[in-house]
Amino acid sequence: MSSRRSRISEEEIAELLSKLQSLLPEARRRGTSRASSAKLLKETCNYIKSLHREVDDLSDRLSEMMATMDMDSAQAEIIRSLFRP
Amino acid sequence: MESKSSTTGNRDNPNRNLHGSKTMMASHFLRALFRIQQTSTSSSSAGRSRRIRRAAYASMAYSAGTRRAWSRALLRKLRSRARLRFPRRLSRAATPQRRDMDQAQVLRKLVPGGPSMDDCKLLEETADYIRFLTTQVRLMQTVMDSVSS
């Protein structure tokens, strides 16, 4: 990453990369040591793509369920589980 | 919904901004879901699915507000009624000079508003975008689990 860097130090970039790394799920962190920022960025891209796919998939499934279920009665249960500690 | 526990101590707690947003996200998304169910009795499952997907990104963007470049970009797309498309298979870039640059470019296509961000901003925005995305996914899973039990 070099083309569009503002006046930020290498250290700050490294810190941001490390923060990013901590957001990846455990399995994707393997092999993404500080030395390989390219690998970390690649894993980040893959992770975001998989999250986009999950949103698509969950939307499909929610849509199917909507046809058959009564959301009014499910409403209380949904809200309960959302705000469970 | 559990929040990922912070490992950065009290310095720049990444969950500080997220907590209030989660409530907004949930209420926005739920209201959208109920509305979709009320108004789409005859439409196809695919049409409903597209509306639900759109509602998911909308509740992410509204709960993040205008303080982030990615959410501003998403809000703009939503308001212009443009189709929300995120590249899945990115075409092979021309031979990159360095592999690092290639991946940053790929990332720019995945994060809303990416193309206009410098490297540093891209990393910050990506981290925030991932936090909101994972929260939205968990929210949708919770709704699924609640109604299928």
Side-chain angles (χ1 to χ4, degrees), chain A residues 1 4 6 19 22 38 42 47 49 52 54 56 59-60 63 65-66 69 71 74-75 81-82, chain B residues 4 12 33-34 37 45 48-49 53 57 88 100 103 108 115 118-119 129 134 139-141 146-147:
Chain A
M1 299 178 85
R4 284 198 267 170
S6 53
K19 191 154 76 152
S22 72
K42 186 160 182 241
Y47 186 42
K49 280 190 250 180
H52 286 163
E54 274 203 78
D56 291 352
S59 300
D60 286 343
S63 170
M65 296 186 61
M66 238 184 216
M69 81 190 174
M71 277 197 79
Q75 193 172 350
S81 38
L82 281 174
Chain B
K4 198 178 161 83
D12 187 30
L33 278 186
F34 295 134
Q37 194 192 35
S45 185
R48 248 191 336 260
S49 172
R53 179 181 177 271
Y57 287 108
R88 294 270 187 92
D100 286 358
Q103 286 307 317
R108 281 197 179 84
D118 65 32
D119 289 348
Y129 184 56
T134 51
L139 167 59
M140 293 170 89
Q141 281 166 344
S146 313
V147 299

Side-chain angles (χ1 to χ4, degrees), chain A residues 4-81:
Chain A
R4 284 198 267 170
R5 186 175 292 148
S6 53
R7 280 178 294 130
I8 305 283
S9 67
E10 291 285 338
E11 226 176 69
E12 295 187 46
I13 293 275
E15 204 183 296
L16 288 168
L17 283 172
S18 142
K19 191 154 76 152
L20 208 49
Q21 183 174 13
S22 72
L23 289 171
L24 296 179
E26 210 54 59
R28 292 182 187 263
R29 280 188 222 172
R30 278 186 245 115
T32 58
S33 64
R34 254 184 85 158
S36 54
S37 67
K39 188 127 209 290
L40 174 55
L41 288 179
K42 186 160 182 241
E43 277 309 318
T44 303
C45 290
N46 289 339
Y47 186 42
I48 292 179
K49 280 190 250 180
S50 79
L51 288 170
H52 286 163
R53 276 196 300 270
E54 274 203 78
V55 171
D56 291 352
D57 180 57
L58 286 163
S59 300
D60 286 343
R61 288 159 69 195
L62 280 171
S63 170
E64 276 167 35
M65 296 186 61
M66 238 184 216
T68 55
M69 81 190 174
D70 176 11
M71 277 197 79
D72 292 328
S73 54
Q75 193 172 350
E77 176 53 34
I78 293 171
I79 292 171
R80 255 201 298 273
S81 38

